[in-house]
Amino acid sequence: MRVTKLLLRKSEDPMNRSLVRMLTGAVVVSCLGAAPVRAGINIQIFPPALFRATTTPVYYEGHAAYWYGSRWHYRDARGWQTYNQEPRYLHDYRAQHEPQRHYYGRDSEHRH
Amino acid sequence: MRLLSMTGLALVAGFGLSAAGTEAVQAPSPAGGASTSSATPADDQAASELKEHHRHHHHGGVTKFIAMSLDTLGTDDAKRPQIEKLQSDLHAEMTPAREAEQSLQLALADGIAAGTVDTVKVDAAIAKLITAADSEQAASLDTLNKLHAILSPSERAALVDKVQAHWEVWRQVNHEEKPGGREPGGRLAELTQEVSLTPDQVNKISAALHTALAGLSAKFDPQKGETHVHAFSTAFAGDSFDAKTVTSNANAHLASRGATRMVLFYETVTPLLTPGQRTKLAAELREHASHQAAA
């Protein structure tokens, strides 16, 4: 905020002001994304209930794994876990199979 | 000085963006070329249809969540016929409650089409549904024991997680969703799409639902459902299981809550719809009822 104020002085021409605003925005966005990475914090989004209830998992290493948010997730006694490196088996499975979702709509073939 | 400041900002931005990019995961192309990227729940068709399902089907409570969880359990091919048989048995054990719910939905549909819901008829149907739902757990003991015996520990854990997921979705749409709320994916948004409500109708229906459903939350105790789901989950995930040991039974409580909320919704919106909209809505509700009959 201080940087922005210092740079946006009244004497500056509009073009420079625009450039400064753009760069400031880029700094904020990039820092938001990079800070957790550099701090060793891994922010994960686990598959929500709506997804798990309608998706067939893939069983691997004794767990039901779900591909969600471009990662594989599974649940164990400690809670939800994420594979940071995609296991070969799951990688190959994903390359060869369509995601299996179940549709409960009135036009879908399913049992109520 | 200004130039230095801007250059510094650009460098920091570039460094930050490159660092963030190191977390990207390379995705292979799936068979058929369709995207494997995960959809967000809000704009996901499967998620939307599940919410609509849980808004209209309350006859099985936790027993139904178990049966539905088998739809996506993903067991190996060798087990599949047996799993399907057990799922079919579970559906059969829920038949009395399912038929009671079907009667309720047809009575509601008749009322919607006529412009006035017969509350006496509807209340009697709800009472029948609650009684039938209460007896489902006892009827399904043997089937649940067989199911436990056939599933591996990882499949049992997956099933338990799915039951909890269905309970979470059911609770969200039948208890936590704000009455008359206009959020995308909410019941009013769905109705707006189904029968093409005008903005004026949306305003009136939103206000009417807010009033009609105001006192409903106090009549439902989500802890009862939570206790039942937790008791089942803990027992079923274990190596040995006897369904009789799961003594919590919230099926009637869930059936009562879900059916009452559904009825109040339709009773409230019916007088605010045009005859054409009522005809369309009644037809959609009859479809829900007819699908149950096929189970």
Side-chain angles (χ1 to χ4, degrees):
Chain A
M1 185 62 84
R2 274 182 74 190
V3 174
T4 310
K5 281 181 179 174
L6 280 172
L7 292 171
L8 289 177
R9 285 192 296 257
K10 285 183 181 177
S11 59
E12 290 184 31
D13 63 60
M15 196 169 169
N16 277 353
R17 284 179 156 199
S18 299
L19 187 59
V20 169
R21 284 198 188 98
M22 280 171 55
L23 284 170
T24 305
V27 167
V28 170
V29 169
S30 66
C31 288
L32 282 174
V37 174
R38 239 177 270 122
I41 300 167
N42 197 6
I43 297 174
Q44 299 291 356
I45 299 169
F46 300 115
L50 277 166
F51 185 83
R52 277 144 47 216
T54 52
T55 306
T56 301
V58 180
Y59 292 89
Y60 176 70
E61 288 186 331
H63 303 293
Y66 293 91
W67 174 255
Y68 182 80
S70 301
R71 297 288 177 94
W72 285 102
H73 308 271
Y74 64 93
R75 197 174 189 176
D76 65 11
R78 295 172 299 154
W80 281 100
Q81 312 294 332
T82 300
Y83 287 110
N84 288 323
Q85 294 257 329
E86 186 176 22
R88 167 68 63 182
Y89 174 82
L90 293 175
H91 180 277
D92 292 349
Y93 185 93
R94 192 158 60 86
Q96 292 162 16
H97 297 82
E98 292 285 356
Q100 288 185 45
R101 304 296 303 276
H102 193 88
Y103 293 87
Y104 288 94
R106 283 158 288 180
D107 297 329
S108 308
E109 285 185 17
H110 66 281
R111 308 180 64 122
H112 285 266
Chain B
M1 179 66 188
R2 243 176 20 225
L3 183 64
L4 276 174
S5 301
M6 285 192 284
T7 307
L9 279 169
L11 283 170
V12 172
F15 180 71
L17 287 170
S18 66
T22 59
E23 285 293 285
V25 175
Q26 191 178 357
S29 297
S35 170
T36 48
S37 62
S38 310
T40 56
D43 60 6
D44 185 277
Q45 181 68 18
S48 170
E49 290 185 4
L50 179 64
K51 288 204 286 186
E52 191 64 1
H53 179 94
H54 277 313
R55 286 187 184 110
H56 287 90
H57 299 285
H58 313 287
H59 61 266
V62 177
T63 306
K64 187 162 190 297
F65 300 157
I66 298 167
M68 290 177 75
S69 295
L70 296 174
D71 288 331
T72 57
L73 191 60
T75 53
D76 61 60
D77 290 344
K79 280 184 196 171
R80 195 157 296 153
Q82 293 164 282
I83 300 289
E84 285 175 359
K85 168 73 171 63
L86 292 173
Q87 187 183 32
S88 174
D89 290 346
L90 280 175
H91 283 298
E93 286 144 12
M94 292 187 283
T95 297
R98 192 178 66 244
E99 288 177 351
E101 186 176 82
Q102 185 184 23
S103 300
L104 170 62
Q105 290 179 332
L106 291 175
L108 260 182
D110 290 345
I112 293 165
T116 311
V117 173
D118 183 340
T119 52
V120 175
K121 198 172 176 182
V122 161
D123 288 348
I126 292 178
K128 201 173 172 183
L129 168 63
I130 293 169
T131 303
D134 196 38
S135 64
E136 282 168 348
Q137 186 156 306
S140 63
L141 295 177
D142 188 43
T143 307
L144 292 180
N145 286 340
K146 286 177 184 168
L147 187 61
H148 183 274
I150 202 173
L151 297 179
S152 69
S154 58
E155 289 165 342
R156 295 200 305 266
L159 183 129
V160 161
D161 179 62
K162 285 180 181 295
V163 169
Q164 291 169 350
H166 277 291
W167 158 238
E168 194 177 323
V169 174
W170 188 95
R171 196 181 64 225
Q172 184 198 336
V173 299
N174 291 291
H175 178 60
E176 293 165 1
E177 198 170 276
K178 187 182 167 192
R182 304 176 192 204
E183 68 282 358
R187 184 65 189 99
L188 184 51
E190 294 288 329
L191 181 70
T192 303
Q193 202 173 5
E194 283 167 15
V195 299
S196 306
L197 295 176
T198 65
D200 184 50
Q201 283 179 308
V202 171
N203 288 337
K204 285 177 180 168
I205 289 173
S206 176
L209 287 172
H210 185 74
T211 304
L213 300 175
L216 201 58
S217 284
K219 295 175 184 171
F220 179 69
D221 180 7
Q223 192 55 46
K224 287 185 181 175
E226 194 68 44
T227 302
H228 186 168
V229 169
H230 180 74
F232 169 78
S233 301
T234 306
F236 198 81
D239 289 335
S240 62
F241 174 74
D242 182 352
K244 275 188 288 191
T245 61
V246 181
T247 52
S248 305
N249 184 0
N251 288 353
H253 192 54
L254 268 60
S256 171
R257 167 50 179 243
T260 303
R261 184 175 170 123
M262 178 176 70
V263 166
L264 277 174
F265 177 87
Y266 286 112
E267 281 179 348
T268 305
V269 305
T270 294
L272 299 168
L273 300 177
T274 65
Q277 289 171 326
R278 292 202 309 267
T279 301
K280 193 171 182 185
L281 191 60
E284 298 214 359
L285 197 50
R286 285 193 185 101
E287 274 192 58
H288 274 293
S290 70
H291 267 200
Q292 292 182 73

